[in-house]
């Protein structure tokens, strides 16, 4: 029963089952109509178009979805007509395919819906190439495809009545869901580190922290704070959604501070780990309940969130009692360091819960439904226009050229040699060929595995000559699971697609094992063409792009550090003032991390310093986390803190200034052959030594006649600054190792070249 409940809860956040049902109905109903009326030809075109367009994921408001689907429907109808007219000539079909694929390469990079629209339009063009005709036939196909698109739009409009969620509300709920996943990863990380400390420079907890930043970025796409504030008088709920998003961002900052503080005491023999695990588990459940309350607007979920919050408070109090009893030789008591952070977490959770309780207490379910329906129809959104970057240095432009040439070759081979069902060749190339080679290789492997398994099962099934009704049920069954797995496990989706295709052909005429064999061979050829195209046609390897992304991460952290240094010097810095610098640092870290992941999937010949780069990026992520911790502490205690002694203040300012200089020196160590943005050479050793802060330095100034609380605060600040020193120096030293290794390798290549030249001369 518990897995079923988890599936239902997940459906609120990512409605995969609802989309699969919609896709299946849009696909099967025209087929049933065709069987009943005896017009299977038009029914197949209508059902294919409705299925393709219904399967497009458009994470926007319903009016925006309908607008985008309308444009996609018109594009599909026009391309179907063009394919019918061009099918007589192999060179006309190939040239037209190249032009459409080139445009599709740009559309594919436009939002989450880009790939779905590109596949739908180009696939219908490929299918109509196998049915060449003249103007009357082209007009008929135009009408049939148009009807299929209108059917997809109709099902989308019907879904609006059942799930009237606004995109921004769903995105805010997903932000809190990502926060719950982060807390859950925090819980598991503490469990694993108890017995098996993670040796990786970037662990699963770091990845989950970066995933939270991605969820925050996605939510910003749908509604800006400025838009929400301007519409607060009309729809107060929109403003409250922005407030919930702000609270989630603040809580993430507080969690970074909690993790940093816990890391200082975790290795202690008497550290109360079980109490920490109990508290993290309860906090994770509270955040998940809160996310569910945002998306459902149900009183019972808000009530359960209140109970979960009370349980979390109780577990936190128990853990604090254990921390107080923890023996320590340091004057820095863990309970005193952690208490203000936990207080901030529960204040933020309480504020979010009060907003939710204000939503639901005075409204009936029908009132909430109508309000959601109106808001989802009226929130302003920008139409995502396609942007054409016509420069060979553009990553998207290169991909568009690659896709155009590969699909043009595929269509030329298919039409010139009259390959049976040869449109599958170009179709496989279109689906497999991704912007990155690593993703292309993975897609090709999944496509071949799923097709092979589907051919075996499909051939066995239809060798049995099943009745027509059973055949139609197989089509519906495979359509549902194809739509469900298409975004989760593509190999499984390809398995169901293959069986569905064989079953669809069997509805039109009896099929033999030869159809499955042709499907497998053509899929292998299309995958091979995609791999050759991804490797040979103007690839853009990550080793050329990563140094620039790493430089952006270092620069963002340096700018963030300057703001924290100003706050340490006495300037008041609010959350909103620090937020742009924190956001830029976290986004830059995430972009660099994704680039490294892509580099791991590329051929070894095009990988360079991957492990060292992971170490450097791990330092940058921890630097951002330490700056978040310092910012959290400075904002919390700015009003009630006592004046910092001049000796302490001067020393902190000196360290922060040296760290800023050392981070800029680290930028100069970037490989000059790879980075186009930073060509400066490394500073000489004497200059670097003058900037460095000794790793072992633990500066503890003498503080006379002060209260223990103020002394504790200054000691805690100094601990975090010492950790920051270690991370900045570690990043510099790792970059220096890469620089020296590259120089040695270059020197060896020069010597080898000169030796060969001397032998030949």
């Amino acid at each position: 029963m518990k897995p079923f409940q988890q599936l239902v809860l997940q459906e609120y956040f990512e409605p995969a089952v609802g989309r699969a049902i919609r896709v299946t109905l849009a696909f099967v109903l025209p087929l049933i109509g065709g069987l009943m009326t005896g017009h299977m030809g038009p029914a197949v075109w209508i059902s294919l178009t409705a299925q393709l367009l219904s399967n497009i994921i458009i994470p926007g408001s319903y009016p925006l979805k309908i607008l985008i689907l309308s444009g996609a429907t018109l594009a599909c109808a026009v391309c179907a007509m063009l394919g019918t007219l061009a099918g007589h000539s192999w060179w006309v079909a190939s040239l037209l395919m190249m032009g459409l694929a080139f445009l599709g390469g740009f559309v594919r990079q436009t939002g989450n819906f880009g790939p779905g629209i590109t596949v739908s339009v180009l696939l219908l063009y490929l299918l109509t190439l196998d049915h060449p005709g003249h103007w009357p036939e082209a007009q008929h196909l135009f009408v049939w495809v148009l009807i299929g698109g209108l059917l997809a739009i109709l099902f989308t409009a019907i879904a609006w009545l059942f799930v009237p969620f606004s995109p921004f509300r769903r995105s805010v709920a997903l932000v809190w869901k990502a926060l719950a996943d982060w807390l859950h990863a925090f819980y598991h990380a503490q469990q694993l580190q108890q017995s098996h400390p993670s040796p990786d420079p970037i662990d699963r907890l770091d990845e989950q922290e970066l995933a939270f930043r991605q969820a925050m970025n996605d939510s910003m796409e749908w509604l800006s704070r400025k838009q929400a504030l301007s519409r607060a008088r009309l729809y107060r709920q929109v403003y409250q959604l922005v407030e919930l998003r702000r609270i989630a961002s603040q809580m993430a900052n507080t969690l970074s501070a909690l993790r940093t503080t816990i890391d200082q005491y975790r290795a202690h023999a008497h550290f109360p780990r079980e109490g920490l695990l109990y508290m993290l588990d309860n906090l994770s459940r509270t955040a998940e309940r809160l996310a569910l309350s945002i998306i459902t607007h149900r009183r019972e979920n808000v009530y359960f969130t209140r109970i979960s919050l009370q349980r979390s408070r109780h577990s936190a109090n128990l853990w604090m009692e254990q921390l107080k009893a923890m023996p320590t030789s340091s004057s820095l008591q863990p309970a005193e360091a952690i208490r203000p952070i936990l207080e901030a977490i529960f204040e933020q959770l309480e504020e979010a819960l009060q907003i939710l309780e204000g939503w639901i207490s005075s409204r009936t379910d029908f009132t909430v439904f109508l309000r959601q329906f109106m808001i989802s129809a009226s929130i302003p959104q920008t139409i995502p226009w396609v942007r054409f970057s016509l420069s060979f240095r553009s990553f998207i432009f290169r991909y568009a050229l690659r896709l155009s040439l590969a699909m043009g070759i595929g269509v030329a081979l298919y039409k010139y040699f009259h390959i049976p069902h040869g449109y599958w060749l170009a179709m496989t190339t279109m689906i497999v060929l991704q912007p990155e080679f690593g993703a292309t290789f993975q897609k090709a492997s999944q496509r071949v595995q799923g097709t092979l398994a589907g051919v075996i099962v499909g051939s066995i099934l239809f060798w049995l000559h099943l009745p027509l009704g059973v055949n139609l049920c197989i089509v519906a069954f495979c359509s549902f699971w194809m739509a469900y797995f298409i975004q989760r496990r593509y190999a499984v989706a390809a398995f169901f697609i293959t069986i569905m295709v064989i079953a669809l052909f069997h509805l039109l005429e009896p099929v033999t094992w030869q159809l499955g064999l042709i499907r497998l061979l053509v899929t292998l050829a299309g995958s091979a063409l995609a791999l050759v195209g991804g490797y040979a046609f103007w690839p853009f390897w990550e080793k050329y792009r990563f140094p620039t992304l790493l430089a952006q991460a270092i620069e963002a952290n340096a700018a963030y550090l300057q703001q924290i240094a100003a706050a340490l010097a006495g300037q008041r810095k609010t959350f909103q003032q620090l937020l742009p610098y924190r956001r830029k640092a976290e986004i830059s870290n995430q972009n660099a991390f994704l680039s490294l992941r892509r580099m791991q999937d590329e051929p070894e010949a095009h990988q360079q310093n991957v492990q060292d780069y992971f170490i450097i990026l791990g330092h940058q992520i921890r630097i951002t986390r330490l700056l978040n911790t310092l910012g959290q502490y400075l904002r919390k205690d700015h009003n009630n803190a006592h004046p910092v002694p001049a000796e302490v203040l001067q020393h902190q300012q000196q360290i922060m200034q040296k760290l800023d200089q050392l981070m800029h020196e680290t930028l100069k160590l970037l490989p000059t052959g790879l980075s186009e943005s930073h060509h400066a050479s490394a500073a000489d050793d004497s200059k670097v030594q003058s900037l460095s802060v000794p790793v072992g330095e633990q500066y503890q100034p003498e503080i006379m006649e002060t209260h223990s609380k103020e002394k504790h605060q200054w000691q805690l600040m100094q601990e975090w600054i010492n950790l920051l020193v270690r991370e900045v120096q570690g990043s510099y030293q790792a970059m220096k190792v890469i620089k020296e290794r590259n120089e040695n390798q270059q020197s060896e290549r020069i010597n080898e070249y000169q030796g060969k030249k001397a032998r030949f001369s």
Side-chain angles (χ1 to χ4, degrees):
M1 189 64 183
K2 188 173 182 180
F4 177 75
Q5 292 176 346
Q6 291 294 328
L7 179 64
V8 173
L9 291 178
Q10 186 63 31
E11 189 67 15
Y12 280 112
F13 300 104
E14 295 293 340
V17 174
R19 187 180 70 253
I21 293 174
R22 187 173 71 248
V23 170
T24 303
L25 290 176
F27 183 58
V28 173
L29 289 181
L31 293 178
I32 296 175
L35 289 172
M36 294 176 63
T37 59
H39 296 85
M40 279 299 294
V44 169
W45 289 109
I46 293 172
S47 64
L48 284 174
T49 306
Q51 183 196 50
L52 289 170
L53 294 180
S54 297
N55 205 28
I56 298 175
I57 299 176
I58 307 175
S61 64
Y62 280 95
L64 182 64
K65 289 181 181 182
I66 293 174
L67 178 63
I68 293 175
L69 282 178
S70 301
T73 297
L74 182 60
C76 287
V78 171
C79 287
M81 186 171 58
L82 291 176
T84 304
L85 297 174
H88 298 285
S89 173
W90 71 269
W91 64 269
V92 173
S94 301
L95 291 177
L96 191 55
M97 180 77 268
M98 293 179 67
L100 293 174
F102 180 74
L103 296 176
F106 291 98
V107 176
R108 189 166 187 164
Q109 304 302 313
T110 306
N112 295 332
F113 56 85
I117 292 179
T118 302
V119 168
S120 301
V121 173
L122 298 185
L123 179 56
L124 283 168
Y125 172 80
L126 288 171
L127 292 175
T128 52
L129 286 178
D130 204 49
H131 298 78
H134 298 288
W135 185 247
E137 291 82 3
Q139 287 180 314
H140 290 154
L141 274 173
F142 179 88
V143 173
W144 296 337
V145 171
L146 197 64
I147 293 173
L150 293 175
L151 185 61
I153 294 173
L154 175 62
F155 275 102
T156 301
I158 293 174
W160 189 1
L161 299 175
F162 292 95
V163 190
F165 298 150
S166 70
F168 185 57
R169 184 169 133 229
R170 184 184 296 278
S171 70
V172 172
L174 288 173
V175 166
W176 280 93
K177 182 66 166 59
L179 195 62
D181 293 339
W182 183 5
L183 280 163
H184 194 62
F186 200 172
Y187 169 82
H188 282 289
Q190 297 302 317
Q191 275 188 324
L192 293 175
Q193 289 172 355
Q194 186 173 3
S195 54
H196 303 288
S198 175
D200 299 327
I202 301 177
D203 55 21
R204 180 172 175 269
L205 184 54
D206 294 323
E207 294 184 26
Q208 203 62 55
E209 186 174 350
L210 295 173
F212 173 79
R213 170 45 57 188
Q214 181 62 49
M216 291 289 293
N217 295 342
D218 293 341
S219 70
M220 284 299 292
E221 292 182 6
W222 304 119
L223 189 67
S224 67
R225 183 179 181 84
K226 183 177 180 181
Q227 285 177 312
L229 292 175
S230 65
R231 300 180 64 81
R233 290 184 179 179
L234 293 177
Y235 299 110
R236 180 168 177 77
Q237 189 184 96
V238 178
Y239 172 76
Q240 291 170 335
L241 284 171
V242 176
E243 290 301 295
L244 285 170
R245 184 186 180 278
R246 173 189 60 80
I247 295 169
S249 179
Q250 290 179 338
M251 187 171 171
N253 197 50
T254 312
L255 286 177
S256 292
L258 179 65
R259 181 184 177 186
T260 303
T261 308
I262 288 175
D263 285 344
Q264 299 183 59
Y265 306 105
R266 191 181 56 209
H268 196 282
H270 299 282
F271 182 73
R273 193 177 305 275
E274 293 299 327
L276 172 62
L277 292 175
Y278 182 50
M279 183 193 69
L280 290 175
D281 185 43
N282 285 323
L283 283 175
S284 174
R285 295 174 187 274
T286 302
E288 187 173 17
R289 279 289 180 185
L290 205 148
L292 188 62
S293 300
I294 294 173
I295 201 69
T296 61
H297 271 250
R298 292 185 176 178
R299 295 183 181 87
E300 59 270 22
N301 288 327
V302 177
Y303 174 73
F304 288 138
T305 305
R306 170 63 67 184
I307 294 176
S308 182
L309 180 57
Q310 293 174 355
R311 187 181 296 115
S312 298
R313 287 184 185 275
H314 176 68
S315 60
N317 292 333
L318 290 177
W319 187 51
M320 289 303 300
E321 293 297 326
Q322 295 172 353
L323 284 174
K324 289 179 182 178
M326 172 181 164
T328 176
S329 58
S330 173
S331 60
L332 206 60
Q333 295 296 326
E336 295 300 323
I338 294 173
R339 177 183 287 107
I341 299 175
L342 289 181
E343 289 176 353
I345 289 176
F346 285 108
E347 287 175 4
Q348 290 152 0
L349 288 172
E350 181 65 34
E351 183 181 0
L353 188 54
Q354 287 179 0
I355 291 176
L356 289 175
E357 289 173 340
W359 275 2
I360 299 190
S361 59
S362 60
R363 297 186 178 95
T364 64
D365 292 340
F366 186 71
T367 303
V368 172
F369 175 85
L370 289 179
R371 185 175 292 274
Q372 293 173 17
F373 187 88
M374 295 303 298
I375 291 176
S376 64
S378 60
I379 291 181
Q381 287 186 253
T382 303
I383 299 176
W385 298 105
V386 180
R387 297 183 179 182
F388 297 93
S389 303
L390 301 179
S391 169
F392 197 74
R393 298 180 63 184
S394 169
F395 177 75
I396 299 177
F397 180 76
R398 289 192 182 193
Y399 171 70
L401 284 177
R402 194 181 311 131
L403 183 66
S404 172
L405 183 58
M407 292 196 68
I409 293 174
V411 169
L413 292 173
Y414 150 51
K415 296 297 291 185
Y416 186 80
F417 292 103
H418 303 287
I419 300 174
H421 304 291
Y423 49 83
W424 284 337
L425 191 154
M427 179 189 71
T428 301
T429 302
M430 169 188 64
I431 294 173
V432 169
L433 187 58
Q434 303 294 309
E436 302 87 13
F437 180 81
T440 300
F441 185 83
Q442 290 182 355
K443 201 81 167 183
S445 175
Q446 294 168 353
R447 179 81 177 181
V448 171
Q449 291 174 16
T451 301
L452 177 60
V455 164
I456 294 173
V457 175
S459 299
I460 294 174
L461 281 176
F462 297 101
W463 176 73
L464 300 175
H465 302 290
L466 300 172
L468 185 63
V470 176
N471 193 8
L472 187 61
C473 291
I474 292 175
V475 170
F477 179 82
C478 292
S479 176
F480 175 86
W481 290 111
M482 177 274 297
Y484 182 81
F485 283 109
I486 195 74
Q487 298 293 326
R488 286 170 168 78
R489 298 178 61 185
Y490 183 72
V492 179
F495 168 77
F496 286 110
I497 289 172
T498 303
I499 299 176
M500 183 185 70
V501 168
I502 296 175
L504 188 59
F505 272 96
H506 195 67
L507 285 176
L508 301 175
E509 58 184 10
V511 298
T512 64
W513 60 270
Q514 295 176 348
L515 179 66
L517 180 61
I518 292 173
R519 170 87 177 182
L520 179 60
L521 294 177
V522 174
T523 297
L524 288 172
S527 299
L529 179 58
L531 289 173
V532 172
Y535 191 87
F537 299 160
W538 312 290
F540 199 93
W541 304 110
E542 290 298 327
K543 67 179 181 181
Y544 299 112
R545 186 162 53 171
F546 176 77
T548 300
L549 297 176
L550 180 60
Q552 293 173 359
I554 297 174
E555 288 175 341
N557 271 331
Y560 194 9
L561 184 140
Q562 291 173 359
Q563 296 298 313
I564 297 298
L568 283 171
Q571 296 183 22
R572 180 174 178 82
K573 295 290 183 180
T574 64
F575 176 80
Q576 292 299 329
Q577 288 174 323
L578 291 177
L579 182 59
Y581 298 93
R582 171 197 160 198
R583 181 186 300 151
K584 186 175 182 180
E586 291 175 346
I587 291 175
S588 300
N589 290 339
Q590 182 194 29
N591 291 337
F593 173 75
L594 294 176
S595 176
L596 266 184
R597 284 298 192 206
R598 291 191 294 266
M599 191 190 298
Q600 281 186 312
D601 295 330
E602 293 177 348
E604 291 186 5
H606 295 282
Q607 296 181 13
Q608 195 165 24
N609 304 316
V610 175
Q611 294 303 319
D612 293 318
Y613 281 146
F614 266 114
I615 293 173
I616 296 171
L617 185 57
H619 285 300
Q620 296 306 312
I621 292 173
R622 289 189 290 275
I623 288 171
T624 304
R625 189 181 304 125
L626 285 165
L627 293 175
N628 289 342
T629 304
L630 288 169
Q632 171 73 18
Y633 176 83
L634 290 169
R635 291 195 313 273
K636 182 74 175 175
D637 293 327
H638 188 278
N639 293 330
N640 54 7
H642 290 71
V644 181
E647 180 186 4
V648 178
L649 184 61
Q650 181 180 4
H651 180 74
Q652 290 178 348
Q653 290 175 343
Q654 290 175 353
I655 290 181
M656 299 299 278
Q657 183 179 6
K658 289 183 179 181
L659 290 179
D660 180 64
Q661 296 176 12
L662 191 58
M663 292 181 75
H664 284 89
E665 290 300 323
T666 305
L667 283 171
K668 297 179 182 179
L669 293 176
L670 281 169
T672 55
L674 300 180
S675 174
E676 300 178 0
S677 305
H678 303 272
H679 296 286
S681 60
D684 56 85
D685 290 340
S686 60
K687 183 177 180 181
V688 171
Q689 290 297 329
S690 68
L691 295 176
S692 299
V693 182
V695 174
E697 177 175 337
Q698 298 290 330
Y699 178 78
Q700 298 292 348
E702 293 295 332
I703 305 173
M704 304 299 296
E705 297 181 356
T706 60
H707 296 87
S708 59
K709 183 177 180 180
E710 286 76 53
K711 181 177 180 179
H712 162 75
Q713 291 173 350
W714 298 330
Q715 289 174 337
L716 190 60
M717 292 286 291
Q718 193 58 45
E719 283 289 335
W720 289 331
I721 292 175
N722 287 333
L723 291 174
L724 191 60
V725 168
R726 293 191 185 95
E727 297 298 338
V728 174
Q729 287 185 324
S731 179
Y732 171 80
Q733 294 297 335
M735 189 70 77
K736 187 176 180 181
V737 169
I738 294 177
K739 180 73 173 179
E740 293 174 350
R741 183 191 300 127
N742 290 342
E743 290 176 349
N744 292 335
Q745 291 175 351
Q746 185 176 5
S747 178
E748 291 175 0
R749 286 194 294 267
I750 292 175
N751 293 335
E752 183 180 357
Y753 172 77
Q754 291 177 347
K756 290 181 179 179
K757 185 177 180 181
R759 286 196 299 271
F760 283 109
S761 61

